[in-house]
């Protein structure tokens, strides 16, 4: 029976299978670049494979995390800069894995759009590939979904899924976190990937286009500055764990800032006292606070304010752990200590502050 040429096609409905195949061809070398022991980082099968034995594990516990990058994606779309948003995608999941002492092993992505442009998708995956290499994990699979009618033509969204492993008995946080332990802060690269709905409102209020020089970093455009990728702390955290054996806990400072994230790694009855005079807020946060007239407590609960990861250690080990992070390329500052919690009713009641953030431009 001859084909009915009058019949409808999937392409007429807005889904281009050939474009999807072209994108796969474009990203194959990017995926191969993330190969590591345990995974050859080839794509095309129905599932990705990982060999824990080849990765050197004896009695591992698997740790999984997934996340997106929120409305930071909208900034990438509006600026036409798609090459770094994939780094953010990887960072948000792998930084959560290392908090539990786990080494990220592999990553999968989900890319959904209204109309698939293979070059845009490949640019996003290029960033994912960079992020995976920074974290030491393999990109072993993913999914691309073209969904006209759900997304506008230029819109897309991202989700990422990471799996790591840690030997049994080495899971963090440790149970021996106690009053008097030292809290060390690792500098962020900027806004990272939280609070972008507020960031975008501040930019609208400023009246500046994304192409304008950033008021807080005039050597680059506002769009480029706001899209600075999230710092990936995996290799430095794993190095500090292995070299010192003294890390008691980590907290990844994401949405919710200090008050919501630090208590997540502290035993019941304990809280944190943070010296805000020790937290060096980068210029981008000063600009956001100034233009948006954002109060300090709102800044602290929305943004990382310059500290992307905190580390809990015993006082006797603070110098050695700080040295290990400095050696690994991190900017390190002692910002507080573990205290008895004032209340266990709310997470924010377990974090108290001394001093104030310097948010003056």
């Amino acid at each position: 029976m001859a084909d009915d040429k009058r019949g409808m096609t999937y392409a007429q409905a807005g889904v281009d299978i050939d474009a999807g195949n072209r994108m796969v061809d474009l990203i194959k070398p990017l995926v191969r670049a993330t190969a590591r022991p345990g995974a050859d980082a080839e794509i095309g099968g129905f599932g990705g494979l990982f060999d824990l034995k080849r990765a050197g594990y004896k009695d591992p516990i698997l740790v999984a995390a997934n996340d997106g990058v929120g409305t930071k994606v909208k900034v990438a779309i509006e600026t036409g800069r798609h090459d770094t948003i994939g780094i953010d995608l990887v960072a948000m999941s792998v930084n959560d894995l290392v908090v539990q002492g786990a080494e990220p092993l592999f990553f999968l992505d989900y890319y959904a759009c209204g109309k698939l442009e293979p070059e845009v998708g490949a640019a996003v995956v290029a960033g994912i590939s960079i992020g995976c290499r920074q974290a030491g994990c393999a990109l072993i699979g993913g999914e691309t979904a073209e969904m006209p009618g759900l997304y506008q033509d230029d819109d897309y969204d991202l989700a990422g899924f990471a799996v790591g492993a840690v030997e049994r008995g080495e899971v963090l946080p440790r149970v021996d976190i106690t009053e008097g332990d030292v809290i060390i802060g690792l500098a962020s690269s900027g806004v990272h990937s939280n609070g972008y709905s507020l960031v975008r409102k501040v930019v609208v209020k400023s009246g500046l286009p994304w192409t304008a020089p950033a008021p807080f970093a005039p050597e680059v455009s506002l769009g480029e500055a706001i899209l600075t990728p999230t710092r990936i702390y995996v290799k430095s955290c794993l190095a500090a764990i292995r070299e010192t054996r003294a890390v008691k806990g980590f907290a990844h400072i994401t949405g919710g800032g200090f008050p919501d994230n630090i208590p997540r790694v502290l035993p019941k009855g304990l809280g944190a006292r943070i010296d805000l005079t020790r937290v060096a807020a980068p210029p981008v946060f000063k600009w956001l606070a100034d233009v948006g007239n954002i109060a300090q407590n709102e800044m602290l609960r929305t943004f990382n304010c310059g500290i992307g990861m905190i580390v809990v250690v015993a006082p006797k080990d603070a110098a050695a752990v700080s040295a290990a992070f400095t050696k690994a390329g991190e900017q390190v500052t002692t910002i507080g200590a573990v205290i008895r919690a004032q209340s266990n009713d709310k997470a924010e009641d377990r974090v108290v502050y001394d001093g104030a953030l310097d948010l003056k431009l």
Side-chain angles (χ1 to χ4, degrees):
M1 187 181 205
D3 288 342
D4 186 352
K5 294 183 179 180
R6 295 171 297 174
M8 295 180 69
T9 67
Y10 208 8
Q12 288 172 344
V15 179
D16 189 342
I17 294 175
D18 291 334
N21 291 335
R22 287 199 304 275
M23 180 172 161
V24 171
D25 289 338
L26 288 172
I27 68 174
K28 278 184 177 180
L30 302 172
V31 173
R32 291 191 190 107
T34 70
R36 53 150 293 157
D40 58 12
E42 287 290 338
I43 57 172
F46 287 94
L49 303 177
F50 193 92
D51 186 340
L52 279 168
K53 188 174 181 180
R54 277 190 57 209
Y57 285 89
K58 298 176 181 178
D59 186 19
I61 292 175
L62 295 179
V63 184
N66 72 295
D67 211 337
V69 293
T71 56
K72 191 171 186 177
V73 168
K74 193 67 174 174
V75 182
I77 294 167
E78 290 174 356
T79 61
R81 299 181 63 91
H82 310 285
D83 56 338
T84 62
I85 199 75
I87 301 174
D88 293 292
L89 185 67
V90 175
M92 296 307 289
S93 286
V94 298
N95 283 342
D96 281 353
L97 293 184
V98 81
V99 160
Q100 295 186 262
E103 174 194 12
L105 301 176
F106 58 85
F107 188 85
L108 299 98
D109 69 277
Y110 177 74
Y111 176 91
C113 59
K115 178 177 175 57
L116 182 60
E117 298 290 347
E119 288 73 20
V120 171
V124 172
V125 176
I128 294 172
S129 175
I130 292 169
C132 284
R133 281 178 279 159
Q134 289 180 4
C137 63
L139 178 58
I140 65 170
E143 176 67 15
T144 301
E146 191 173 18
M147 296 186 283
L150 184 58
Y151 296 93
Q152 297 300 313
D153 282 353
D154 293 335
D155 283 347
Y156 63 83
D157 198 10
L158 302 170
F161 309 83
V163 173
V166 56
E167 293 289 1
R168 195 177 303 275
E170 297 181 5
V171 177
L172 296 178
R174 283 170 24 184
V175 297
D176 61 342
I177 294 177
T178 188
E179 183 179 5
D181 281 344
V182 173
I183 295 176
I184 296 168
L186 307 183
S188 69
S189 58
V191 185
H192 283 187
S193 297
N194 298 102
Y196 272 80
S197 294
L198 180 53
V199 169
R200 290 167 54 240
K201 281 188 172 294
V202 172
V203 171
V204 170
K205 183 180 179 182
S206 76
L208 294 172
W210 292 119
T211 53
F216 51 88
E219 68 278 5
V220 296
S221 70
L222 179 59
E224 185 179 357
I226 292 295
L227 284 171
T228 299
T230 306
R231 186 164 182 82
I232 294 177
Y233 298 98
V234 169
K235 290 185 178 178
S236 62
C237 286
L238 291 176
I241 290 171
R242 293 163 181 169
E243 290 177 16
T244 69
R245 296 292 175 182
V247 173
K248 290 188 175 186
F250 293 116
H252 184 200
I253 307 303
T254 56
F258 289 162
D260 283 2
N261 288 294
I262 296 176
R264 295 169 69 182
V265 300
L266 299 178
K268 187 175 182 180
L270 295 180
R273 181 175 293 278
I274 303 298
D275 183 354
L276 294 179
T277 67
R278 302 280 298 167
V279 177
V284 60
F285 294 111
K286 298 180 180 184
W287 182 77
L288 290 169
D290 179 66
V291 176
N293 192 29
I294 306 170
Q296 174 180 280
N297 283 352
E298 186 68 18
M299 292 292 295
L300 288 166
R301 198 174 184 193
T302 304
F303 303 115
N304 67 64
C305 292
I307 300 293
M309 183 76 75
I310 70 109
V311 191
V312 181
V313 299
K316 66 181 179 63
D317 298 315
V321 171
S322 294
F325 276 109
T326 300
K327 177 183 174 184
E330 302 292 352
Q331 296 180 45
V332 182
T333 309
T334 298
I335 62 170
V338 176
I339 61 171
R340 286 288 164 190
Q342 295 182 353
S343 168
N344 282 315
D345 295 338
K346 296 180 180 178
E348 58 264 32
D349 292 336
R350 297 171 65 187
V351 179
V352 297
Y353 305 110
D354 291 329
L357 286 173
D358 179 5
L359 293 173
K360 295 180 181 178
L361 282 169

